[in-house]
Amino acid sequence: MLPPVVDLDEANHLLGLVMRHFNSIVLGLEQESPVLDPLWPIIPFDAGEFEDAEMWAYGFTEAVKLSPAAWQPLFDHPEGRQWYRPIHLLGTDEVSPEEEALTRTPAQRAALSAQIEGSLLQMHAFWLPLRQAVAERERARRLSPKVGRNEPCPCGSGKKFKKCCGAPSAPH
């Protein structure tokens, strides 16, 4: 959700800023050696200053909860849960007592924050083949000629497309 805005111009400006940030992340990931530079605050404590990725990790875990089934292939991968672990430990309230012991001090949380960039690069590499396959399928679909309603159906049934696969009641 966007914060309250005065008018459509302000909403467009905010969306433009979000998209510019999104595009800079994509550009960094498309480099031959992918680059990420996550931003989170540095918090002063008695023992020094530490990076605090907790709110960022919370947002990430909330996004994962929007479609847990989509993330399941990553969690089923032998290393997937390990890649997600620092984000999970910092971002969720649902941790075991053993996991909670790993986040008690600012130094422990800073160490987990330092692991996130590598984890994100590993997760990106995990999803990349799937993303490339989807892009190739979409490209092939756009390049294939469109079947006219009165042309023979490409499934080979011998019927017109509009009476076969192109019929409104046909399952897609």
Side-chain angles (χ1 to χ4, degrees):
M1 294 294 299
L2 281 174
V5 293
V6 175
D7 56 20
L8 185 58
D9 287 338
E10 188 176 4
N12 284 332
H13 176 72
L14 287 173
L15 286 173
L17 292 172
V18 169
M19 290 309 301
R20 188 169 67 188
H21 182 64
F22 172 81
N23 288 332
S24 71
I25 293 168
V26 170
L27 182 65
L29 290 170
E30 289 178 343
Q31 302 303 311
E32 191 166 321
S33 295
V35 176
L36 279 178
D37 192 15
L39 300 173
W40 37 70
I42 296 177
I43 307 294
F45 288 94
D46 293 338
E49 293 183 335
F50 297 98
E51 289 187 349
D52 184 10
E54 287 182 45
M55 289 308 294
W56 180 94
Y58 174 76
F60 196 102
T61 59
E62 288 297 300
V64 169
K65 288 178 189 175
L66 293 175
S67 185
W71 284 86
Q72 198 57 49
L74 178 79
F75 299 140
D76 291 343
H77 185 276
E79 297 173 88
R81 287 201 180 272
Q82 190 64 30
W83 298 331
Y84 187 69
R85 188 168 187 258
I87 298 167
H88 166 77
L89 289 172
L90 290 173
T92 189
D93 294 328
E94 304 148 12
V95 293
S96 68
E98 296 84 21
E99 291 175 323
E100 187 177 349
L102 301 172
T103 62
R104 284 199 180 121
T105 69
Q108 288 173 311
R109 293 190 300 275
L112 289 167
S113 297
Q115 294 173 28
I116 290 176
E117 184 175 351
S119 292
L120 291 173
L121 291 172
Q122 292 292 338
M123 288 189 281
H124 176 263
F126 172 82
W127 291 112
L128 197 55
L130 174 65
R131 292 176 52 149
Q132 289 171 335
V134 168
E136 286 298 318
R137 185 175 59 219
E138 189 63 29
R139 187 176 318 125
R141 190 178 65 77
R142 284 193 311 265
L143 294 176
S144 64
K146 185 175 180 181
V147 179
R149 291 176 32 84
N150 290 316
E151 294 179 27
C153 190
C155 76
S157 68
K159 298 179 183 178
K160 287 184 177 183
F161 179 69
K162 69 181 179 183
K163 297 286 185 178
C164 190
C165 295
S169 62
H172 296 284

